Amino acid sequence: MKPKRVRASGGLPPDLDLELDPRWSVRLLTDFVRSEVTRTGHERVVLGLSGGLDSALVAFLAARALGAASVLACLMPHRNSTPASLADARSVVEALGIPSEEIDISPMVDGFARVSGEVDSMRLGNVMARCRMILLYDRSARHRALVLGTSNKTELLLGYGTLHGDLASAVNPLGDLYKTQVRQLSRYLGVPRAILEKPPSADLWADQSDEQEIGYSYEELDRLLALLIDARVSRESVIAAGFDATMVDRITGMITRSQFKRRLPVIAKMSARSVGWDFRYPRDWRT
């Protein structure tokens, strides 16, 4: 679905076009995955396949980039997970012919709950996300495979993810794609219809919905974020264009408060060349 445009008003540029050229985009992303994996000496990848749209698209891209045999999908349900999510994840495995492993994380989560006492649903959701990442990085070491990330640009900007959980990865092909763009490419690549049409959800508790939890649809969020972030439009201009001031302030606050999730921990500078300050070479630095 193509997001509606915001008409220019008071000096505001037209809404950025979030429509992608799917053929070019898929080529760029598959080349990215292939290059970033093989340049480290790896040939395989592992990802958590939740049954949701983001992880499904990453699996489709990885299979194109590296071949189905080089992609290991880990299906990691909890007993509170929706049964349909596991079925949808299995449908991706079947469609692509990729190796998979199913691991029930309930015993891991239960063990944490026993030693920690009462845990609310939000904290327990973070524990689930981190248990899944423990398993992914264990399989990464076991199979010498890099962990692929599945967080999209909308989630990263809003901090809608768990630090050292679903936000952890070695390579992330979706990090510069808004959620509406993820949907465009998923439709182009033939992701199963059931996954395309269901409401986005982290599936951490019954009837949980991303859009209900955030309070806005992804179409609304992506239009606003594209203007604030990509076009650097001011608060006053986006409000004048028709965005609700409460929404603008809430989303801006989420972006600001979650900055720590988008960078390495801040290091106190004590030398001439400090990691994260002066020493910021790419991974292929050699000299």
Side-chain angles (χ1 to χ4, degrees):
M1 180 183 298
K2 186 172 180 177
K4 295 179 181 177
R5 289 179 174 272
V6 175
R7 288 183 296 176
S9 175
L12 179 67
D15 195 0
L16 295 181
D17 189 354
L18 297 180
E19 195 75 27
L20 296 172
D21 177 334
R23 183 177 179 181
W24 178 87
S25 299
V26 167
R27 180 178 177 181
L28 185 151
L29 292 172
T30 52
D31 286 349
F32 166 81
V33 171
R34 186 182 306 111
S35 172
E36 292 302 317
V37 171
T38 58
R39 74 192 295 185
T40 65
H42 291 78
E43 298 178 352
R44 304 189 67 191
V45 292
V46 57
L47 75 149
L49 195 59
S50 67
L53 192 63
D54 299 311
S55 62
L57 177 57
V58 171
F60 271 73
L61 291 170
R64 278 186 167 230
L66 302 168
S70 297
V71 182
L72 173 63
C74 290
L75 288 60
M76 300 171 285
H78 181 267
R79 64 170 166 272
N80 291 338
S81 302
T82 306
S85 294
L86 185 57
D88 289 336
R90 288 170 177 164
S91 73
V92 173
V93 170
E94 182 178 354
L96 295 173
I98 57 178
S100 67
E101 184 177 3
E102 294 187 19
I103 311 150
D104 182 359
I105 65 168
S106 300
M108 298 174 68
V109 178
D110 291 345
F112 175 87
R114 279 196 298 271
V115 300
S116 297
E118 187 174 348
V119 183
D120 62 33
S121 58
M122 184 192 72
R123 290 170 55 203
L124 197 64
N126 286 333
V127 172
M128 292 180 195
R130 290 177 178 134
C131 285
R132 291 179 174 120
M133 201 50 59
I134 288 172
L135 287 167
L136 286 179
Y137 273 93
D138 173 72
R139 269 45 180 186
S140 170
R142 178 180 178 181
H143 299 288
R144 203 170 184 276
L146 288 185
V147 175
L148 286 185
T150 61
S151 295
N152 61 64
K153 187 173 184 176
T154 309
E155 294 170 336
L156 293 176
L157 287 172
L158 299 182
Y160 197 68
T162 300
L163 197 60
H164 309 304
D166 53 314
L167 294 180
S169 67
V171 177
N172 181 0
L174 303 190
D176 205 25
L177 291 175
Y178 288 110
K179 184 71 172 188
T180 49
Q181 295 173 322
V182 169
R183 190 171 302 280
Q184 292 172 41
L185 293 190
S186 297
R187 186 177 293 110
Y188 174 78
L189 287 177
V191 168
R193 179 176 294 181
I195 298 175
L196 278 166
E197 295 180 351
K198 70 180 180 180
S201 171
D203 201 22
L204 299 176
W205 54 81
D207 300 321
Q208 189 264 344
S209 164
D210 294 355
E211 292 174 316
Q212 288 180 358
E213 193 172 351
I214 298 172
Y216 306 99
S217 71
Y218 275 115
E219 284 76 14
E220 293 176 295
L221 289 168
D222 290 352
R223 286 171 51 219
L224 176 60
L225 290 171
L227 288 169
L228 291 174
I229 304 301
D230 297 274
R232 301 188 181 189
V233 175
S234 69
R235 174 185 182 274
E236 293 73 18
S237 293
V238 293
I239 293 173
F243 284 96
D244 179 70
T246 300
M247 176 188 183
V248 174
D249 291 342
R250 183 177 176 219
I251 297 307
T252 302
M254 292 177 72
I255 295 170
T256 303
R257 290 191 299 272
S258 61
Q259 172 64 6
F260 72 97
K261 293 186 177 183
R262 294 186 291 272
R263 59 168 296 167
L264 292 172
V266 179
I267 295 173
K269 185 169 176 58
M270 299 288 289
S271 67
R273 301 189 74 202
S274 311
V275 173
W277 291 97
D278 317 282
F279 188 82
R280 294 183 291 186
Y281 288 88
R283 69 180 68 186
D284 58 352
W285 181 75
R286 291 288 183 272
T287 58

